[in-house]
Amino acid sequence: MHALRIFGWSFAITALGVAAAGVLGGPRDAAIVAILAILEISLSFDNAVINATILRRMSEWWQKIFLTLGVLIAVFGMRLIFPIVIVALTAHLSPVDVFDLALNDSAQYAEKLGDAHPAIAAFGGIFLFMIFLDFLFDPEREIQWIRKLEEPLRRAGQLDVIPIVVALVALLVVGEAFSGDHTQQVLTSGVAGLATYLAVRGLGEFFEAQGIGDEDDGADDDSAVGGAVAAGDTAAPARSGGTPKLVLATGRAAAFLFLYLEVIDASFSFDGVVGAFAISQNIFVIAAGLGIGAMYIRSLTVYLVRRGTLSEYIYLEHGAHYAIGALAIILAISIETEVPEIITGLVGVAFIGLALVSSIRHRRKEAAAGGDNAGQDDEPDTSREPAPAPL
């Protein structure tokens, strides 16, 4: 029943979207909406895992905002309006002219959106690459999946500018060696993506550290928020219903985390929006199909948070970040070379699948070790760092 409540809106919007497409455009459009929804879900499963790592730091009220207002932003903002804005900027047209083009000459609109792809790939690629680098170079990350790779990088991360340096070097290499005639466009968009990442992430962390704004978000008094945040309570998290009760971000801190989630969603959605024109050139059909898929990704994100799945399967977060790093590389390659969507989707699924298998193996080893040691020592084991399960 709990899962039905979380996914209920997704089921309802799916039925409404497919039915509306069938009534307005016929069975063919209804089928295309369903196909695009499945495509979006398959391409963005790793996005759900990444979202869950951030969303679990937010109060339940903000989680509901992510599932309601966030969906409207995802459907109408990222899948409909944002591509029009990108085309307007790169083609030097007004948004009204671009919207008219999308309605009356979808083929030319798709062509101009394709022309904007180098800028889109550079912006989204550097944003996603920074997420990946910040994860790899995090000096406080104790859980390691591929220890031989991750431990040296974790130690190097004590120099906190390393992710930025690596990202800038990668951007220069891509801009000079792999972007063909789009060097200036790629470098400009890449710097804009890096600046956006640093600004949104930095402001979110600043307000989260300050514990500002727990009075405005309407969170329940018993939601492990409020006073604990304002007082800077650092007590160990307690568990309730399998979900860790963390000191959760509220107010302006949660607002910037929400904005951060939306930019991540935009970075993930770019390739899906461009690729969708290979299936349909109707912008409303594309927005409906990708929007339904985005709704399921949001429901899945909330489900992962409420079930505490990331705590139970400890390498899922690692797999999702490796998938994000791979997607950033694919976006860089796609500036000059077309990469089929199926490859993008399979790479993400492969990393998530391997991480899930490693997590299950780790849980079995822990359970076996616990059974072997049962009753041998009355002293509690205070070592909580899990043993690595390398590939």
Side-chain angles (χ1 to χ4, degrees):
M1 184 63 69
H2 182 65
L4 182 60
R5 286 201 302 269
I6 293 175
F7 285 92
W9 278 105
S10 297
F11 298 146
I13 289 177
T14 300
L16 181 63
V18 173
V23 171
L24 297 175
R28 181 178 179 275
D29 281 354
I32 290 175
V33 166
I35 291 170
L36 288 172
I38 295 171
L39 175 66
E40 177 73 3
I41 294 170
S42 65
L43 289 175
S44 301
F45 184 81
D46 47 350
N47 189 10
V49 178
I50 293 297
N51 287 348
T53 67
I54 301 167
L55 197 67
R56 64 179 175 174
R57 296 159 53 193
M58 300 165 67
S59 68
E60 185 172 346
W61 188 84
W62 275 98
Q63 292 176 13
K64 292 177 181 177
I65 291 295
F66 174 75
L67 196 56
T68 52
L69 177 61
V71 169
L72 294 177
I73 295 174
V75 175
F76 297 104
M78 300 307 175
R79 271 78 180 176
L80 185 62
I81 297 174
F82 196 66
I84 290 175
V85 173
I86 290 292
V87 171
L89 291 174
T90 55
H92 305 290
L93 297 172
S94 72
V96 174
D97 290 338
V98 175
F99 187 70
D100 181 69
L101 197 65
L103 287 178
N104 301 310
D105 193 348
S106 55
Q108 188 177 355
Y109 172 73
E111 181 181 347
K112 290 189 177 297
L113 186 60
D115 293 339
H117 179 72
I120 292 172
F123 183 97
I126 200 69
F127 193 96
L128 295 176
F129 196 50
M130 277 300 300
I131 296 174
F132 174 60
L133 292 177
D134 269 350
F135 177 79
L136 280 186
F137 288 105
D138 182 4
E140 298 179 359
R141 181 167 50 84
E142 296 180 352
I143 299 175
Q144 296 177 3
W145 184 27
I146 308 174
R147 180 176 291 273
K148 290 182 179 179
L149 171 65
E150 295 176 14
E151 177 59 21
L153 295 177
R154 185 191 69 81
R155 292 178 180 176
Q158 296 180 40
L159 185 62
D160 56 8
V161 298
I162 279 191
I164 300 174
V165 172
V166 172
L168 285 173
V169 170
L171 178 61
L172 287 173
V173 171
V174 171
E176 293 295 333
F178 298 104
S179 60
D181 298 329
H182 308 289
T183 298
Q184 183 177 353
Q185 189 179 17
V186 166
L187 292 178
T188 301
S189 300
V191 170
L194 180 60
T196 301
Y197 175 86
L198 294 176
V200 176
R201 179 72 178 269
L203 287 169
E205 290 180 347
F206 171 76
F207 285 117
E208 189 175 5
Q210 295 296 316
I212 295 174
D214 59 328
E215 71 277 10
D216 297 328
D217 64 0
D220 295 336
D221 292 338
D222 60 349
S223 62
V225 197
V229 175
D233 188 353
T234 57
R239 285 186 176 273
S240 176
T243 304
K245 287 288 188 178
L246 305 174
V247 179
L248 303 178
T250 59
R252 278 174 282 184
F256 276 103
L257 285 177
F258 176 78
L259 178 60
Y260 180 54
L261 281 172
E262 294 305 318
V263 180
I264 291 176
D265 178 68
S267 300
F268 271 94
S269 69
F270 288 146
D271 58 334
V273 171
V274 175
F277 277 93
I279 300 174
S280 173
Q281 293 187 334
N282 186 316
I283 60 171
F284 297 109
V285 169
I286 291 174
L290 298 183
I292 290 172
M295 182 69 191
Y296 277 98
I297 293 300
R298 274 160 169 67
S299 297
L300 180 59
T301 297
V302 174
Y303 181 79
L304 293 174
V305 172
R306 302 284 171 83
R307 288 293 302 269
T309 304
L310 297 182
S311 299
E312 296 177 9
Y313 300 96
I314 61 172
Y315 300 122
L316 274 182
E317 184 177 354
H318 295 69
H321 278 91
Y322 280 104
I324 277 186
L327 178 57
I329 294 172
I330 289 172
L331 284 172
I333 294 172
S334 71
I335 292 173
E336 281 294 301
T337 304
E338 184 177 355
V339 180
E341 284 76 15
I342 189 171
I343 293 179
T344 304
L346 288 177
V347 168
V349 169
F351 276 116
I352 294 292
L354 289 172
L356 179 61
V357 170
S358 293
S359 300
I360 293 172
R361 286 173 52 201
H362 168 75
R363 291 187 66 189
R364 288 175 178 172
K365 288 180 181 179
E366 266 202 339
D372 292 342
N373 296 329
Q376 293 182 11
D377 194 348
D378 293 331
E379 185 122 358
D381 180 12
T382 59
S383 175
R384 302 303 301 163
E385 180 178 354
L391 295 176

